[in-house]
Amino acid sequence: MYSFDSRVRYSECDETGRLSILGLVNYLQDCSTFHSESLGLGLARMAADHYAWFISAWQIEIGELPSFGDDITVSTWCYGLRRALASRNFTINDQVGNTLVRADSLWFVFDTEACRPVRIPDSQRAYLSGEGRLDMPATRRRIPVEGPFVETSPIVVDEQQLDTNRHVNNARYISMALAALDELGISLDLHRISVQYQSMALSGDTIVPRVSSCASGRTVELSRPEGGPFATVMLQDA
């Protein structure tokens, strides 16, 4: 297990003074990148070896969001490595050890020269630890989209939404989905966020949010104007 301690900053909070959803997801992905660096498998090593880890799916379960100034511990561990897919858990705990957020995720290795997913190299077995999987429902690799949808304002991808891989950062898709609900006047007391990433959005691409109903919430398909999703985000109430 890899862990780091932090304190919730004002810049990470939403209008209620609690950690924003974007801030939450950033903590999770920061923890995974710090884990890589601690093993000598970080950004410089990945660039030199022409590969990157990309996320395929998230399942984030929110019990309580920490508030401004709260001390937190963010942890992650890889509990499974198959031929082409890695499974990784995360937690965010408060200063007395209560778990505020739990997450499960699926990842794959992308060859940045060949521009395609590849089998996970043996060197990446260094991520495996002895911790088991969190007691959570299985993370979906496919999120169903059912029923009619309502389109909200299209989004043109700009440089601020990109990460070091030069595509839209995974946390930004969740922010786009939440903005689509806000545009429609829909408010949810979020308990579970599930995301399926299907293709990479690049600078200049147009993303069209399409909002439909699902059990206990809404599903937002973030699609190309001509159809075909970049990502599908399911947002469910407590």
Side-chain angles (χ1 to χ4, degrees):
M1 178 185 293
Y2 175 85
S3 300
F4 76 95
D5 296 326
S6 189
R7 188 180 184 192
V8 177
R9 298 163 178 83
Y10 182 78
S11 59
E12 297 168 336
C13 292
D14 61 17
E15 68 277 8
T16 70
R18 291 187 177 273
L19 181 66
S20 69
I21 298 301
L22 177 61
L24 185 160
V25 181
N26 281 337
Y27 267 119
L28 302 184
Q29 62 181 356
D30 285 346
C31 192
S32 65
T33 53
F34 290 161
H35 187 198
S36 296
E37 295 292 336
S38 75
L39 295 171
L41 298 171
L43 297 179
R45 172 70 179 275
M46 285 188 263
D49 291 345
H50 308 292
Y51 75 91
W53 278 102
F54 288 172
I55 190 164
S56 172
W58 270 122
Q59 179 190 182
I60 302 169
E61 187 179 280
I62 302 168
E64 181 181 354
L65 291 169
S67 297
F68 165 66
D70 285 352
D71 293 315
I72 58 173
T73 299
V74 189
S75 301
T76 188
W77 62 97
C78 177
Y79 64 85
L81 276 178
R82 286 174 275 171
R83 179 178 178 181
L85 202 65
S87 302
R88 181 185 281 273
N89 278 159
F90 297 82
T91 57
I92 298 179
N93 288 0
D94 65 16
Q95 60 185 335
V96 295
N98 297 314
T99 300
L100 307 176
V101 176
R102 307 189 305 166
D104 189 43
S105 55
L106 302 175
W107 301 72
F108 63 94
V109 172
F110 189 82
D111 185 317
T112 56
E113 286 192 319
C115 295
R116 61 180 176 84
V118 294
R119 182 172 180 168
I120 296 172
D122 289 341
S123 62
Q124 307 303 295
R125 300 195 69 80
Y127 285 108
L128 279 172
S129 65
E131 289 83 12
R133 185 181 185 277
L134 288 171
D135 183 17
M136 297 177 66
T139 296
R140 304 183 189 196
R141 296 186 65 183
R142 293 287 182 271
I143 295 176
V145 179
E146 301 173 352
F149 62 80
V150 177
E151 284 191 0
T152 61
S153 300
I155 300 155
V156 178
V157 175
D158 60 29
E159 293 288 316
Q160 295 182 11
Q161 295 165 317
L162 307 183
D163 60 21
T164 57
N165 297 305
R166 301 297 300 163
H167 62 240
V168 173
N169 182 268
N170 74 82
R172 296 287 183 174
Y173 292 102
I174 300 174
S175 292
M176 292 176 192
L178 291 169
L181 296 195
D182 188 59
E183 183 177 327
L184 295 174
I186 298 169
S187 178
L188 299 175
D189 182 13
L190 279 178
H191 173 62
R192 190 180 305 278
I193 302 170
S194 302
V195 190
Q196 174 197 354
Y197 299 97
Q198 288 131 303
S199 62
M200 292 176 251
L202 308 176
S203 181
D205 283 342
T206 297
I207 299 175
V208 180
R210 294 175 173 141
V211 181
S212 57
S213 296
C214 68
S216 303
R218 298 291 190 276
T219 298
V220 183
E221 190 176 73
L222 298 163
S223 300
R224 302 176 187 275
E226 67 275 15
F230 291 107
T232 305
V233 183
M234 181 181 286
L235 303 160
Q236 294 175 288
D237 254 325

